[in-house]
């Protein structure tokens, strides 16, 4: 038996030796082929067995893994799209240079604006509130003057944050934090059960942004340009959103008036039904509506809110000599304004390319592309680092909250003498305090032919108040057990409707001039005179 094994192994080695020699002689390719054939040889034996069960199990595993991988791929694709959209929103339009030091940041805060001189009224108003609590007029005046520079610093910190994010998110950030003063004043007045002040101040903020701020932007820009263009689709959409907000304000008043005089009319039950309707409409539905608006503006249709939108109307300069350009000093026209102005950049480009024939049409293109080619090469230099900017936001918010509390406490004593009524204070004076910084910013950029940004500040702030601040305050009153409803003063509701209607007519062509700005400002002055003599109403829940 052992001899058989030895002879068999000897025969096997001798039979396999020529093949190995041939493979070595034929080269590496043949060797690899022979090796592969020798490796696959055992599989030939396995193929003789029935394979009906094995492929089915492997196929089932393959189908299960494929079916389970499809939802994972969809979720991964959705997450990838979300991350890509978020990165685009957070990515600034221009590169940001190195942030300054803490000391340089503090210097930038001190010398940010000449309005910082009014910061001295912060300790004065606080001292007057504790030392002379009966001097309501002085406390109101000093607190009024103290909030103005705080609002400006809040806008300054917001602009520094906007440099580090994308253009759409920057506009949303400006509009949101720009209404921080109104939100703080409304929360303090709600906590003190001053419901009429809350309602009147919010309506006054919308009127101030739509009529005064937008009118001043159109007027100031019209003194330099014959016509200024802006994105028509985005403005019409914003006008539709404001119209829906006004309808939500008018419906409780119509609900209340329709039931008056009925034989089964019960005033108390009707008032509570209006309160429930306000909680349902403003507290819940409009917050969902505002979230949809954010998705539309930030993700799905963010191109509508860019300066390079194809729907942008052209800007026209005056033919010949500008009739409003009298004596312009060097300070009024600086190099920075020339770079930032689309029309000026277009004129400078046309002047350097004299070989091309001039077009007979004096339209000035929006110029965003030409500006991007100039501005994107130079990184944006921030005036504050991120840590100082965030600390400034926190400190200013605390100072505004404390000072606004003193301001709200002094309103009753100020209006008790009868020299000025509470309606005028709430709907005219308080919104001017909160929107003072936005007024300056919007008018400044409109002169530089950046009317899209001005509209984002003015109309965007109004939409923020109508779709976010008012629903938030109503919901907060619901949580705090304060009966804040959407049944505004009848005159305020009518004035709000007429103002939104007027603005819709003014912006429907996508162009503006100085006369349209004058119309809006005159309408605001008419409303100011009207509310000076209007005593106002108490509302359905005067005591909460």
């Amino acid at each position: 038996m052992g001899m058989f094994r030895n002879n068999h192994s000897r025969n096997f080695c001798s039979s396999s030796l020529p093949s190995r020699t041939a493979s070595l002689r034929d080269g590496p390719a043949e060797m690899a082929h022979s090796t592969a054939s020798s490796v696959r040889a055992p599989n030939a034996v396995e193929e003789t067995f029935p394979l009906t069960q094995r492929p089915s199990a492997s196929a089932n595993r393959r189908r299960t893994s494929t079916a389970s991988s499809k939802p994972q791929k969809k979720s991964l694709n959705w997450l990838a799209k979300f991350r890509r959209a978020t990165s685009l929103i957070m990515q600034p339009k221009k590169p940001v240079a190195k942030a300054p030091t803490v000391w340089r940041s503090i210097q930038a805060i001190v010398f940010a604006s000449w309005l910082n001189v009014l910061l001295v009224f912060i300790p004065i108003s606080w001292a007057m509130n504790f030392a002379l609590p009966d001097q309501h007029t002085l406390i109101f005046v000093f607190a009024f003057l103290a909030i103005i520079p705080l609002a400006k610093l809040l806008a300054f910190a917001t602009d520094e944050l906007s440099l580090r994010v994308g253009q759409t998110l920057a506009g949303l950030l400006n509009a949101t934090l720009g209404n921080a003063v109104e939100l703080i004043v409304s929360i303090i007045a709600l906590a003190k059960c001053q419901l009429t002040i809350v309602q009147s101040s919010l309506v006054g903020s919308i009127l101030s942004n739509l009529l005064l701020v937008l009118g001043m932007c159109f007027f100031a820009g019209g003194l330099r340009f014959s016509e200024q263009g802006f994105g028509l689709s985005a403005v019409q959409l914003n006008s539709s959103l404001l119209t829906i907000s006004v309808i939500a304000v008018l419906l409780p008043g119509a609900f209340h008036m329709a039931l008056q005089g009925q034989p089964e009319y019960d005033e108390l039950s009707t008032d509570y039904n209006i309160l429930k309707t306000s909680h349902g409409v403003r507290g819940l539905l409009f917050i969902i509506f505002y979230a949809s608006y954010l998705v539309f503006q930030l993700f799905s249709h963010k191109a509508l809110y860019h300066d390079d939108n194809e729907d942008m109307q052209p800007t026209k300069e005056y033919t010949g000599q500008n009739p409003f350009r009298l004596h312009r000093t060097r300070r009024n026209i600086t190099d920075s304004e020339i770079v930032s102005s689309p029309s000026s950049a277009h004129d400078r480009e046309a002047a350097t390319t004299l070989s091309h024939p001039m077009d007979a049409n004096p339209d000035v293109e929006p110029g965003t592309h030409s500006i991007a080619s100039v501005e994107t090469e130079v990184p944006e230099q921030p005036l504050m680092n991120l840590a100082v900017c965030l600390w400034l936001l926190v400190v200013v918010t605390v100072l505004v909250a404390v000072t606004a509390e003193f301001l709200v406490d002094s309103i009753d004593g100020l209006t008790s003498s009868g020299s000025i009524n509470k309606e005028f204070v709430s709907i005219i004076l308080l919104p001017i305090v909160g929107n003072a910084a936005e007024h300056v910013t919007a008018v400044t950029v409109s002169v530089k032919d950046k009317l899209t940004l001005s509209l984002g500040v003015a109309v965007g702030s109004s939409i923020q108040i109508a779709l976010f601040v008012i629903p938030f305050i109503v919901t907060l009153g619901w949580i705090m057990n304060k009966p804040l409803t959407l049944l505004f003063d009848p005159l305020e509701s009518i004035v709000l409707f007429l103002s939104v209607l007027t603005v819709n007519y003014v912006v429907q062509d996508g162009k503006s001039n100085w006369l349209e700005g004058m119309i809006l400002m005159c309408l605001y002055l008419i409303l100011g005179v009207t509310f000076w003599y209007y005593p106002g109403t108490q509302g359905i829940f005067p005591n909460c």
Side-chain angles (χ1 to χ4, degrees), residues 166-184:
Q167 183 180 6
T168 303
L169 187 57
L172 181 65
L173 193 63
N174 284 321
T176 304
L177 294 181
N179 297 320
V181 177
E182 292 93 334
L183 185 61
I184 293 173

Side-chain angles (χ1 to χ4, degrees), residues 214-229:
L214 192 60
M216 292 180 67
C217 292
F218 287 170
F219 182 78
L223 295 181
R224 186 174 179 183
F225 302 96
S226 176
E227 285 184 353
Q228 286 183 291

Side-chain angles (χ1 to χ4, degrees), residues 391-544:
W391 274 107
L392 180 62
L393 283 175
V394 173
V395 172
V396 169
T397 303
V398 173
L399 293 177
V400 168
V402 177
T403 310
E405 184 177 3
F406 300 155
L407 181 71
V408 173
D409 290 337
S410 63
I411 291 178
D412 289 334
L414 175 67
T415 57
S416 62
S417 61
S419 57
I420 186 173
N421 57 53
K422 186 181 294 186
E423 194 74 16
F424 183 81
V425 172
S426 302
I427 206 167
I428 300 296
L429 295 183
L430 292 183
I432 290 178
V433 173
N435 297 326
E438 290 184 344
H439 292 185
V440 178
T441 303
V443 174
T444 302
V445 299
S446 66
V447 176
K448 300 177 182 180
D449 198 21
K450 293 184 178 180
L451 197 59
T452 303
L453 182 57
S454 299
L455 289 170
V457 173
V459 182
S461 296
S462 301
I463 294 177
Q464 291 280 337
I465 295 173
L467 298 182
F468 173 69
V469 177
I470 294 180
F472 178 78
I473 293 297
V474 171
T475 307
L476 185 62
W478 189 6
I479 297 173
M480 298 172 61
N481 199 19
K482 305 291 183 182
L484 182 63
T485 66
L486 291 178
L487 185 60
F488 288 81
D489 185 89
L491 182 61
E492 294 178 2
S493 302
I494 295 174
V495 163
L496 184 61
F497 172 74
L498 295 177
S499 300
V500 172
L501 186 64
T502 304
V503 172
N504 288 342
Y505 280 121
V506 168
V507 302
Q508 66 181 353
D509 58 347
K511 300 177 182 179
S512 67
N513 51 59
W514 66 268
L515 183 58
E516 292 178 347
M518 180 65 71
I519 291 172
L520 297 179
M521 289 190 297
C522 289
L523 179 58
Y524 189 77
L525 292 178
I526 292 172
L527 297 181
V529 175
T530 303
F531 284 109
W532 174 267
Y533 296 101
Y534 181 65
T537 58
Q538 291 184 351
I540 58 177
F541 294 105
N543 298 319
C544 57

Side-chain angles (χ1 to χ4, degrees), residues 10 27 67 148 191 239 252 259 317 324 338 358 374-375 393 423 439 441:
R10 237 185 256 112
I148 293 177
S239 300
L259 294 180
E317 291 207 5
F324 299 103
I338 292 175
M358 296 296 293
V374 176
E375 291 186 347
L393 283 175
E423 194 74 16
H439 292 185
T441 303

Side-chain angles (χ1 to χ4, degrees), residues 93 307-309 312 342 365-373:
K93 185 179 180 181
D307 291 334
D308 55 355
N309 184 20
M312 184 75 63
E365 297 294 331
T368 306
H369 298 287
S370 61
I371 294 174
S373 62

Side-chain angles (χ1 to χ4, degrees), residues 15 27 41 69 91 152 155 196 218 229 266 300 335 372 378 384-385 390 420-421 426 432 448 453 510 521 534:
S15 63
S69 63
Q91 183 178 3
K152 180 62 178 177
T196 56
F218 287 170
D266 185 6
S300 63
D335 294 335
V378 180
M384 291 187 298
N385 56 39
L390 295 177
I420 186 173
N421 57 53
S426 302
I432 290 178
K448 300 177 182 180
L453 182 57
M521 289 190 297
Y534 181 65

Side-chain angles (χ1 to χ4, degrees), residues 309-320:
N309 184 20
E310 60 181 7
D311 197 28
M312 184 75 63
Q313 299 296 318
T315 296
K316 296 181 180 179
E317 291 207 5
Y318 284 98
T319 56

